[in-house]
mmCIF file of all heavy atoms in Angstrom:
data_model
loop_
_atom_site.group_PDB
_atom_site.id
_atom_site.type_symbol
_atom_site.label_atom_id
_atom_site.label_comp_id
_atom_site.label_asym_id
_atom_site.label_seq_id
_atom_site.Cartn_x
_atom_site.Cartn_y
_atom_site.Cartn_z
ATOM 1 N N THR A 33 -52.728 -1.960 50.079
ATOM 2 C CA THR A 33 -52.626 -2.669 51.349
ATOM 3 C C THR A 33 -52.344 -4.089 51.120
ATOM 4 O O THR A 33 -53.230 -4.993 51.322
ATOM 5 C CB THR A 33 -53.973 -2.527 52.093
ATOM 6 O OG1 THR A 33 -55.057 -2.792 51.230
ATOM 7 C CG2 THR A 33 -54.127 -1.129 52.650
ATOM 8 N N ARG A 36 -45.344 -5.460 49.337
ATOM 9 C CA ARG A 36 -44.992 -5.259 47.980
ATOM 10 C C ARG A 36 -44.660 -6.432 47.232
ATOM 11 O O ARG A 36 -43.931 -7.336 47.790
ATOM 12 C CB ARG A 36 -43.674 -4.380 48.048
ATOM 13 C CG ARG A 36 -44.023 -2.934 48.370
ATOM 14 C CD ARG A 36 -42.815 -2.101 48.740
ATOM 15 N NE ARG A 36 -43.149 -0.762 49.048
ATOM 16 C CZ ARG A 36 -43.808 -0.296 50.131
ATOM 17 N NH1 ARG A 36 -44.290 -1.326 50.984
ATOM 18 N NH2 ARG A 36 -44.184 0.947 50.316
ATOM 19 N N SER A 38 -46.495 -8.956 46.608
ATOM 20 C CA SER A 38 -47.188 -10.211 47.012
ATOM 21 C C SER A 38 -48.278 -10.643 46.114
ATOM 22 O O SER A 38 -48.773 -11.791 46.275
ATOM 23 C CB SER A 38 -47.690 -10.083 48.444
ATOM 24 O OG SER A 38 -48.659 -8.995 48.472
ATOM 25 N N LEU A 39 -48.678 -9.825 45.242
ATOM 26 C CA LEU A 39 -49.604 -10.345 44.150
ATOM 27 C C LEU A 39 -48.956 -10.838 42.851
ATOM 28 O O LEU A 39 -49.684 -11.067 41.869
ATOM 29 C CB LEU A 39 -50.690 -9.290 43.835
ATOM 30 C CG LEU A 39 -51.750 -9.254 44.987
ATOM 31 C CD1 LEU A 39 -52.742 -8.053 44.655
ATOM 32 C CD2 LEU A 39 -52.522 -10.422 45.126
ATOM 33 N N ARG A 41 -47.602 -12.202 39.699
ATOM 34 C CA ARG A 41 -47.845 -11.933 38.243
ATOM 35 C C ARG A 41 -48.961 -10.912 38.062
ATOM 36 O O ARG A 41 -48.907 -10.187 37.019
ATOM 37 C CB ARG A 41 -48.217 -13.142 37.525
ATOM 38 C CG ARG A 41 -47.041 -14.155 37.194
ATOM 39 C CD ARG A 41 -46.084 -13.620 36.260
ATOM 40 N NE ARG A 41 -46.675 -13.029 34.996
ATOM 41 C CZ ARG A 41 -47.232 -13.712 34.045
ATOM 42 N NH1 ARG A 41 -47.269 -14.987 34.059
ATOM 43 N NH2 ARG A 41 -47.718 -13.100 32.978
ATOM 44 N N PRO A 82 -54.200 -38.034 12.781
ATOM 45 C CA PRO A 82 -55.244 -38.968 12.478
ATOM 46 C C PRO A 82 -56.562 -38.372 12.230
ATOM 47 O O PRO A 82 -57.452 -39.058 11.685
ATOM 48 C CB PRO A 82 -55.185 -39.799 13.684
ATOM 49 C CG PRO A 82 -54.861 -38.932 14.795
ATOM 50 C CD PRO A 82 -53.919 -37.929 14.176
ATOM 51 N N GLN A 90 -66.319 -29.003 9.939
ATOM 52 C CA GLN A 90 -67.251 -29.342 10.901
ATOM 53 C C GLN A 90 -67.123 -28.619 12.205
ATOM 54 O O GLN A 90 -68.206 -28.221 12.824
ATOM 55 C CB GLN A 90 -67.071 -30.936 11.213
ATOM 56 C CG GLN A 90 -67.429 -31.844 10.071
ATOM 57 C CD GLN A 90 -66.995 -33.197 10.246
ATOM 58 O OE1 GLN A 90 -66.223 -33.549 11.157
ATOM 59 N NE2 GLN A 90 -67.381 -34.117 9.334
ATOM 60 N N ASN A 94 -69.561 -26.079 14.288
ATOM 61 C CA ASN A 94 -69.780 -26.179 15.720
ATOM 62 C C ASN A 94 -69.564 -24.858 16.397
ATOM 63 O O ASN A 94 -70.326 -24.445 17.264
ATOM 64 C CB ASN A 94 -68.864 -27.326 16.132
ATOM 65 C CG ASN A 94 -69.190 -27.823 17.600
ATOM 66 O OD1 ASN A 94 -70.259 -27.631 18.112
ATOM 67 N ND2 ASN A 94 -68.219 -28.456 18.254
ATOM 68 N N GLY A 99 -71.401 -24.659 20.160
ATOM 69 C CA GLY A 99 -71.332 -25.897 20.920
ATOM 70 C C GLY A 99 -69.884 -26.364 21.270
ATOM 71 O O GLY A 99 -69.653 -27.374 21.977
ATOM 72 N N ARG A 107 -68.368 -17.687 26.652
ATOM 73 C CA ARG A 107 -69.573 -17.272 27.381
ATOM 74 C C ARG A 107 -69.239 -17.076 28.844
ATOM 75 O O ARG A 107 -69.724 -16.093 29.482
ATOM 76 C CB ARG A 107 -70.699 -18.216 27.164
ATOM 77 C CG ARG A 107 -71.436 -18.236 25.895
ATOM 78 C CD ARG A 107 -72.761 -19.006 25.910
ATOM 79 N NE ARG A 107 -72.607 -20.451 26.204
ATOM 80 C CZ ARG A 107 -72.496 -21.378 25.141
ATOM 81 N NH1 ARG A 107 -72.428 -20.954 23.904
ATOM 82 N NH2 ARG A 107 -72.395 -22.615 25.468
ATOM 83 N N HIS A 108 -68.588 -18.045 29.412
ATOM 84 C CA HIS A 108 -68.230 -17.976 30.834
ATOM 85 C C HIS A 108 -67.451 -16.684 31.160
ATOM 86 O O HIS A 108 -67.611 -16.095 32.251
ATOM 87 C CB HIS A 108 -67.520 -19.256 31.159
ATOM 88 C CG HIS A 108 -67.050 -19.297 32.618
ATOM 89 N ND1 HIS A 108 -68.053 -19.210 33.623
ATOM 90 C CD2 HIS A 108 -65.967 -19.593 33.210
ATOM 91 C CE1 HIS A 108 -67.415 -19.357 34.798
ATOM 92 N NE2 HIS A 108 -66.156 -19.568 34.588
ATOM 93 N N GLU A 311 -44.442 -14.812 29.543
ATOM 94 C CA GLU A 311 -44.682 -15.958 30.578
ATOM 95 C C GLU A 311 -46.228 -16.226 30.609
ATOM 96 O O GLU A 311 -46.965 -15.301 30.743
ATOM 97 C CB GLU A 311 -44.201 -15.424 31.894
ATOM 98 C CG GLU A 311 -44.144 -16.502 32.958
ATOM 99 C CD GLU A 311 -43.784 -15.950 34.283
ATOM 100 O OE1 GLU A 311 -43.373 -14.827 34.454
ATOM 101 O OE2 GLU A 311 -43.907 -16.698 35.284
ATOM 102 N N LEU A 316 -52.686 -25.382 32.693
ATOM 103 C CA LEU A 316 -53.604 -26.424 32.991
ATOM 104 C C LEU A 316 -53.465 -27.574 32.036
ATOM 105 O O LEU A 316 -54.479 -28.361 31.980
ATOM 106 C CB LEU A 316 -55.065 -25.834 32.888
ATOM 107 C CG LEU A 316 -55.331 -24.822 33.993
ATOM 108 C CD1 LEU A 316 -56.663 -24.092 33.726
ATOM 109 C CD2 LEU A 316 -55.401 -25.354 35.435
ATOM 110 N N ARG A 317 -52.349 -27.753 31.408
ATOM 111 C CA ARG A 317 -52.080 -28.891 30.533
ATOM 112 C C ARG A 317 -53.189 -28.887 29.350
ATOM 113 O O ARG A 317 -53.493 -30.027 28.996
ATOM 114 C CB ARG A 317 -51.986 -30.190 31.240
ATOM 115 C CG ARG A 317 -50.777 -30.206 32.156
ATOM 116 C CD ARG A 317 -50.382 -31.596 32.584
ATOM 117 N NE ARG A 317 -51.402 -32.206 33.453
ATOM 118 C CZ ARG A 317 -51.508 -32.004 34.797
ATOM 119 N NH1 ARG A 317 -50.628 -31.301 35.322
ATOM 120 N NH2 ARG A 317 -52.489 -32.629 35.479
ATOM 121 N N LEU A 318 -53.597 -27.799 28.892
ATOM 122 C CA LEU A 318 -54.495 -27.766 27.776
ATOM 123 C C LEU A 318 -53.670 -28.034 26.484
ATOM 124 O O LEU A 318 -52.546 -27.594 26.300
ATOM 125 C CB LEU A 318 -55.206 -26.418 27.711
ATOM 126 C CG LEU A 318 -55.887 -25.963 28.885
ATOM 127 C CD1 LEU A 318 -56.613 -24.566 28.554
ATOM 128 C CD2 LEU A 318 -57.051 -26.921 29.316
ATOM 129 N N ARG A 319 -54.304 -28.707 25.529
ATOM 130 C CA ARG A 319 -53.794 -28.925 24.181
ATOM 131 C C ARG A 319 -54.896 -28.981 23.195
ATOM 132 O O ARG A 319 -54.901 -29.762 22.251
ATOM 133 C CB ARG A 319 -52.839 -30.106 24.137
ATOM 134 C CG ARG A 319 -53.489 -31.386 24.588
ATOM 135 C CD ARG A 319 -52.586 -32.604 24.682
ATOM 136 N NE ARG A 319 -53.182 -33.646 25.389
ATOM 137 C CZ ARG A 319 -54.094 -34.440 24.893
ATOM 138 N NH1 ARG A 319 -54.470 -34.367 23.609
ATOM 139 N NH2 ARG A 319 -54.574 -35.432 25.577
ATOM 140 N N PRO A 331 -60.188 -13.614 32.969
ATOM 141 C CA PRO A 331 -60.628 -13.097 34.272
ATOM 142 C C PRO A 331 -59.427 -12.620 35.050
ATOM 143 O O PRO A 331 -59.476 -11.692 35.840
ATOM 144 C CB PRO A 331 -61.192 -14.345 34.941
ATOM 145 C CG PRO A 331 -61.735 -15.191 33.855
ATOM 146 C CD PRO A 331 -60.694 -15.077 32.793
ATOM 147 N N LYS A 338 -58.350 -4.404 37.921
ATOM 148 C CA LYS A 338 -59.235 -4.039 39.045
ATOM 149 C C LYS A 338 -58.402 -3.863 40.340
ATOM 150 O O LYS A 338 -58.791 -2.985 41.202
ATOM 151 C CB LYS A 338 -60.374 -5.099 39.275
ATOM 152 C CG LYS A 338 -61.319 -5.026 38.195
ATOM 153 C CD LYS A 338 -62.541 -5.904 38.436
ATOM 154 C CE LYS A 338 -63.583 -5.801 37.327
ATOM 155 N NZ LYS A 338 -64.734 -6.747 37.566
ATOM 156 N N GLU A 342 -59.189 -0.542 42.349
ATOM 157 C CA GLU A 342 -60.119 -0.659 43.519
ATOM 158 C C GLU A 342 -59.561 -0.855 44.895
ATOM 159 O O GLU A 342 -60.234 -0.689 45.834
ATOM 160 C CB GLU A 342 -61.153 -1.843 43.210
ATOM 161 C CG GLU A 342 -61.996 -1.627 41.914
ATOM 162 C CD GLU A 342 -62.949 -2.787 41.688
ATOM 163 O OE1 GLU A 342 -63.160 -3.549 42.587
ATOM 164 O OE2 GLU A 342 -63.371 -2.947 40.457
ATOM 165 N N ALA A 344 -57.645 -0.390 48.321
ATOM 166 C CA ALA A 344 -57.271 0.720 49.286
ATOM 167 C C ALA A 344 -55.768 0.835 49.415
ATOM 168 O O ALA A 344 -55.073 -0.085 49.269
ATOM 169 C CB ALA A 344 -57.956 0.485 50.658
ATOM 170 N N THR A 352 -50.874 0.148 58.907
ATOM 171 C CA THR A 352 -49.536 0.421 59.049
ATOM 172 C C THR A 352 -48.715 -0.326 57.990
ATOM 173 O O THR A 352 -48.861 -1.498 57.767
ATOM 174 C CB THR A 352 -49.084 -0.176 60.509
ATOM 175 O OG1 THR A 352 -49.979 0.399 61.483
ATOM 176 C CG2 THR A 352 -47.595 0.314 60.777
ATOM 177 N N LYS A 354 -45.164 -1.631 56.911
ATOM 178 C CA LYS A 354 -43.868 -1.951 57.587
ATOM 179 C C LYS A 354 -42.771 -1.239 56.930
ATOM 180 O O LYS A 354 -41.788 -0.813 57.542
ATOM 181 C CB LYS A 354 -43.682 -3.455 57.538
ATOM 182 C CG LYS A 354 -43.106 -4.030 56.237
ATOM 183 C CD LYS A 354 -42.540 -5.390 56.362
ATOM 184 C CE LYS A 354 -42.177 -6.080 55.073
ATOM 185 N NZ LYS A 354 -41.139 -5.500 54.256
ATOM 186 N N THR B 33 -66.889 -32.605 21.768
ATOM 187 C CA THR B 33 -66.123 -32.197 20.510
ATOM 188 C C THR B 33 -64.775 -31.571 20.784
ATOM 189 O O THR B 33 -64.578 -30.368 20.591
ATOM 190 C CB THR B 33 -66.992 -31.243 19.643
ATOM 191 O OG1 THR B 33 -67.503 -30.198 20.464
ATOM 192 C CG2 THR B 33 -68.199 -31.978 19.021
ATOM 193 N N ARG B 36 -59.788 -36.213 23.127
ATOM 194 C CA ARG B 36 -59.830 -36.850 24.548
ATOM 195 C C ARG B 36 -58.708 -36.332 25.371
ATOM 196 O O ARG B 36 -57.560 -36.297 24.898
ATOM 197 C CB ARG B 36 -59.837 -38.335 24.511
ATOM 198 C CG ARG B 36 -61.153 -38.900 24.142
ATOM 199 C CD ARG B 36 -61.047 -40.384 23.845
ATOM 200 N NE ARG B 36 -62.328 -40.994 23.457
ATOM 201 C CZ ARG B 36 -62.957 -40.619 22.252
ATOM 202 N NH1 ARG B 36 -62.378 -39.799 21.453
ATOM 203 N NH2 ARG B 36 -64.104 -41.171 22.025
ATOM 204 N N SER B 38 -57.844 -33.319 25.992
ATOM 205 C CA SER B 38 -57.200 -32.050 25.516
ATOM 206 C C SER B 38 -57.560 -30.847 26.425
ATOM 207 O O SER B 38 -56.914 -29.795 26.255
ATOM 208 C CB SER B 38 -57.563 -31.769 24.064
ATOM 209 O OG SER B 38 -58.915 -31.530 23.921
ATOM 210 N N LEU B 39 -58.534 -31.006 27.285
ATOM 211 C CA LEU B 39 -58.848 -29.850 28.241
ATOM 212 C C LEU B 39 -58.122 -30.016 29.582
ATOM 213 O O LEU B 39 -58.354 -29.334 30.457
ATOM 214 C CB LEU B 39 -60.280 -29.644 28.296
ATOM 215 C CG LEU B 39 -60.909 -28.868 27.242
ATOM 216 C CD1 LEU B 39 -62.429 -28.769 27.396
ATOM 217 C CD2 LEU B 39 -60.298 -27.450 27.103
ATOM 218 N N ARG B 41 -56.416 -30.229 32.967
ATOM 219 C CA ARG B 41 -56.899 -30.115 34.362
ATOM 220 C C ARG B 41 -58.443 -29.829 34.304
ATOM 221 O O ARG B 41 -59.103 -30.168 35.320
ATOM 222 C CB ARG B 41 -56.203 -28.992 35.131
ATOM 223 C CG ARG B 41 -54.802 -29.314 35.467
ATOM 224 C CD ARG B 41 -54.641 -30.465 36.551
ATOM 225 N NE ARG B 41 -55.537 -30.303 37.659
ATOM 226 C CZ ARG B 41 -55.372 -29.348 38.656
ATOM 227 N NH1 ARG B 41 -54.338 -28.535 38.642
ATOM 228 N NH2 ARG B 41 -56.162 -29.277 39.687
ATOM 229 N N PRO B 82 -41.563 -8.669 60.351
ATOM 230 C CA PRO B 82 -41.442 -7.148 60.635
ATOM 231 C C PRO B 82 -42.704 -6.479 60.723
ATOM 232 O O PRO B 82 -42.707 -5.267 61.102
ATOM 233 C CB PRO B 82 -40.688 -6.708 59.296
ATOM 234 C CG PRO B 82 -41.104 -7.628 58.201
ATOM 235 C CD PRO B 82 -41.344 -8.891 58.856
ATOM 236 N N GLN B 90 -56.169 -3.976 61.728
ATOM 237 C CA GLN B 90 -56.313 -3.030 60.760
ATOM 238 C C GLN B 90 -56.881 -3.673 59.394
ATOM 239 O O GLN B 90 -57.700 -3.086 58.763
ATOM 240 C CB GLN B 90 -55.034 -2.248 60.484
ATOM 241 C CG GLN B 90 -54.556 -1.451 61.652
ATOM 242 C CD GLN B 90 -53.068 -0.974 61.620
ATOM 243 O OE1 GLN B 90 -52.432 -1.447 60.767
ATOM 244 N NE2 GLN B 90 -52.723 -0.062 62.459
ATOM 245 N N ASN B 94 -60.169 -3.309 57.057
ATOM 246 C CA ASN B 94 -60.007 -3.101 55.635
ATOM 247 C C ASN B 94 -60.915 -4.047 54.802
ATOM 248 O O ASN B 94 -61.612 -3.699 53.927
ATOM 249 C CB ASN B 94 -58.518 -3.225 55.252
ATOM 250 C CG ASN B 94 -58.237 -2.690 53.836
ATOM 251 O OD1 ASN B 94 -58.935 -1.948 53.310
ATOM 252 N ND2 ASN B 94 -57.042 -3.054 53.310
ATOM 253 N N GLY B 99 -61.799 -2.840 51.023
ATOM 254 C CA GLY B 99 -60.712 -2.323 50.194
ATOM 255 C C GLY B 99 -59.520 -3.159 50.032
ATOM 256 O O GLY B 99 -58.538 -2.720 49.400
ATOM 257 N N ARG B 107 -65.188 -9.710 44.416
ATOM 258 C CA ARG B 107 -66.123 -9.036 43.666
ATOM 259 C C ARG B 107 -66.053 -9.432 42.159
ATOM 260 O O ARG B 107 -67.028 -9.594 41.415
ATOM 261 C CB ARG B 107 -66.044 -7.463 43.728
ATOM 262 C CG ARG B 107 -66.620 -6.877 44.999
ATOM 263 C CD ARG B 107 -66.789 -5.347 44.824
ATOM 264 N NE ARG B 107 -65.572 -4.591 44.692
ATOM 265 C CZ ARG B 107 -64.775 -4.150 45.708
ATOM 266 N NH1 ARG B 107 -65.152 -4.420 47.030
ATOM 267 N NH2 ARG B 107 -63.654 -3.543 45.545
ATOM 268 N N HIS B 108 -64.900 -9.495 41.734
ATOM 269 C CA HIS B 108 -64.620 -9.808 40.304
ATOM 270 C C HIS B 108 -65.090 -11.182 40.031
ATOM 271 O O HIS B 108 -65.648 -11.439 38.940
ATOM 272 C CB HIS B 108 -63.074 -9.665 40.024
ATOM 273 C CG HIS B 108 -62.677 -9.986 38.693
ATOM 274 N ND1 HIS B 108 -63.191 -9.389 37.594
ATOM 275 C CD2 HIS B 108 -61.734 -10.806 38.155
ATOM 276 C CE1 HIS B 108 -62.683 -9.770 36.479
ATOM 277 N NE2 HIS B 108 -61.702 -10.654 36.769
ATOM 278 N N GLU B 311 -53.232 -30.716 43.326
ATOM 279 C CA GLU B 311 -52.511 -29.986 42.407
ATOM 280 C C GLU B 311 -53.072 -28.609 42.199
ATOM 281 O O GLU B 311 -54.322 -28.584 42.019
ATOM 282 C CB GLU B 311 -52.437 -30.795 41.097
ATOM 283 C CG GLU B 311 -51.449 -30.178 40.078
ATOM 284 C CD GLU B 311 -51.523 -30.885 38.721
ATOM 285 O OE1 GLU B 311 -52.257 -31.909 38.580
ATOM 286 O OE2 GLU B 311 -50.941 -30.320 37.742
ATOM 287 N N LEU B 316 -49.309 -18.096 40.047
ATOM 288 C CA LEU B 316 -49.067 -16.731 39.700
ATOM 289 C C LEU B 316 -48.033 -16.090 40.621
ATOM 290 O O LEU B 316 -47.985 -14.860 40.810
ATOM 291 C CB LEU B 316 -50.312 -15.914 39.611
ATOM 292 C CG LEU B 316 -51.278 -16.248 38.472
ATOM 293 C CD1 LEU B 316 -52.620 -15.620 38.621
ATOM 294 C CD2 LEU B 316 -50.702 -15.954 37.086
ATOM 295 N N ARG B 317 -47.298 -16.931 41.389
ATOM 296 C CA ARG B 317 -46.326 -16.440 42.403
ATOM 297 C C ARG B 317 -46.963 -15.414 43.386
ATOM 298 O O ARG B 317 -46.302 -14.438 43.774
ATOM 299 C CB ARG B 317 -45.184 -15.768 41.656
ATOM 300 C CG ARG B 317 -44.330 -16.794 40.921
ATOM 301 C CD ARG B 317 -42.890 -16.295 40.530
ATOM 302 N NE ARG B 317 -42.977 -15.100 39.664
ATOM 303 C CZ ARG B 317 -43.120 -15.196 38.305
ATOM 304 N NH1 ARG B 317 -43.151 -16.370 37.713
ATOM 305 N NH2 ARG B 317 -43.145 -14.082 37.593
ATOM 306 N N LEU B 318 -48.229 -15.781 43.870
ATOM 307 C CA LEU B 318 -48.818 -14.982 44.894
ATOM 308 C C LEU B 318 -48.254 -15.446 46.244
ATOM 309 O O LEU B 318 -48.027 -16.553 46.427
ATOM 310 C CB LEU B 318 -50.321 -15.174 44.871
ATOM 311 C CG LEU B 318 -51.014 -14.925 43.504
ATOM 312 C CD1 LEU B 318 -52.552 -15.157 43.732
ATOM 313 C CD2 LEU B 318 -50.877 -13.591 43.026
ATOM 314 N N ARG B 319 -48.176 -14.474 47.195
ATOM 315 C CA ARG B 319 -47.782 -14.793 48.498
ATOM 316 C C ARG B 319 -48.512 -13.794 49.492
ATOM 317 O O ARG B 319 -47.886 -13.273 50.358
ATOM 318 C CB ARG B 319 -46.291 -14.754 48.691
ATOM 319 C CG ARG B 319 -45.635 -13.497 48.174
ATOM 320 C CD ARG B 319 -44.058 -13.541 48.249
ATOM 321 N NE ARG B 319 -43.537 -12.478 47.639
ATOM 322 C CZ ARG B 319 -43.339 -11.201 48.058
ATOM 323 N NH1 ARG B 319 -43.832 -10.868 49.186
ATOM 324 N NH2 ARG B 319 -42.883 -10.339 47.234
ATOM 325 N N PRO B 331 -63.089 -18.915 38.670
ATOM 326 C CA PRO B 331 -63.609 -18.990 37.320
ATOM 327 C C PRO B 331 -63.310 -20.270 36.526
ATOM 328 O O PRO B 331 -64.148 -20.877 35.807
ATOM 329 C CB PRO B 331 -63.091 -17.775 36.640
ATOM 330 C CG PRO B 331 -62.780 -16.798 37.685
ATOM 331 C CD PRO B 331 -62.399 -17.650 38.882
ATOM 332 N N LYS B 338 -69.110 -26.059 33.534
ATOM 333 C CA LYS B 338 -69.858 -25.598 32.311
ATOM 334 C C LYS B 338 -69.442 -26.469 30.995
ATOM 335 O O LYS B 338 -70.318 -26.724 30.184
ATOM 336 C CB LYS B 338 -69.592 -24.108 32.023
ATOM 337 C CG LYS B 338 -70.400 -23.148 33.018
ATOM 338 C CD LYS B 338 -70.334 -21.743 32.720
ATOM 339 C CE LYS B 338 -71.061 -20.947 33.699
ATOM 340 N NZ LYS B 338 -71.052 -19.485 33.460
ATOM 341 N N GLU B 342 -72.389 -27.807 28.885
ATOM 342 C CA GLU B 342 -72.744 -26.992 27.687
ATOM 343 C C GLU B 342 -72.152 -27.455 26.360
ATOM 344 O O GLU B 342 -72.615 -27.021 25.272
ATOM 345 C CB GLU B 342 -72.497 -25.545 27.931
ATOM 346 C CG GLU B 342 -73.158 -24.951 29.137
ATOM 347 C CD GLU B 342 -72.832 -23.500 29.337
ATOM 348 O OE1 GLU B 342 -72.362 -22.800 28.488
ATOM 349 O OE2 GLU B 342 -72.988 -22.997 30.475
ATOM 350 N N ALA B 344 -71.175 -29.421 22.988
ATOM 351 C CA ALA B 344 -71.750 -30.387 22.089
ATOM 352 C C ALA B 344 -70.963 -31.760 22.046
ATOM 353 O O ALA B 344 -69.699 -31.725 22.339
ATOM 354 C CB ALA B 344 -71.813 -29.818 20.707
ATOM 355 N N THR B 352 -66.767 -35.527 13.010
ATOM 356 C CA THR B 352 -66.109 -36.899 12.957
ATOM 357 C C THR B 352 -65.149 -37.070 14.110
ATOM 358 O O THR B 352 -64.319 -36.213 14.438
ATOM 359 C CB THR B 352 -65.352 -36.967 11.640
ATOM 360 O OG1 THR B 352 -66.159 -36.619 10.496
ATOM 361 C CG2 THR B 352 -64.808 -38.389 11.414
ATOM 362 N N LYS B 354 -62.169 -39.043 15.516
ATOM 363 C CA LYS B 354 -61.169 -39.946 14.912
ATOM 364 C C LYS B 354 -61.098 -41.272 15.752
ATOM 365 O O LYS B 354 -60.804 -42.276 15.132
ATOM 366 C CB LYS B 354 -59.738 -39.308 15.123
ATOM 367 C CG LYS B 354 -59.090 -39.353 16.491
ATOM 368 C CD LYS B 354 -57.584 -38.986 16.426
ATOM 369 C CE LYS B 354 -57.060 -38.781 17.819
ATOM 370 N NZ LYS B 354 -56.870 -39.933 18.610
#
Side-chain angles (χ1 to χ4, degrees):
Chain A
T33 49
R36 282 165 182 68
S38 62
L39 282 174
R41 287 293 312 287
Q90 293 168 349
N94 196 17
R107 281 196 295 272
H108 182 51
E311 188 186 353
L316 294 169
R317 293 196 295 276
L318 305 180
R319 50 183 171 80
K338 290 188 177 177
E342 300 180 19
T352 308
K354 82 165 166 70
Chain B
T33 49
R36 285 167 180 67
S38 62
L39 282 174
R41 288 291 314 287
Q90 292 167 349
N94 196 16
R107 280 196 296 271
H108 182 52
E311 188 186 352
L316 295 168
R317 293 197 296 276
L318 305 179
R319 50 183 170 79
K338 289 188 177 177
E342 299 180 19
T352 308
K354 81 165 166 74

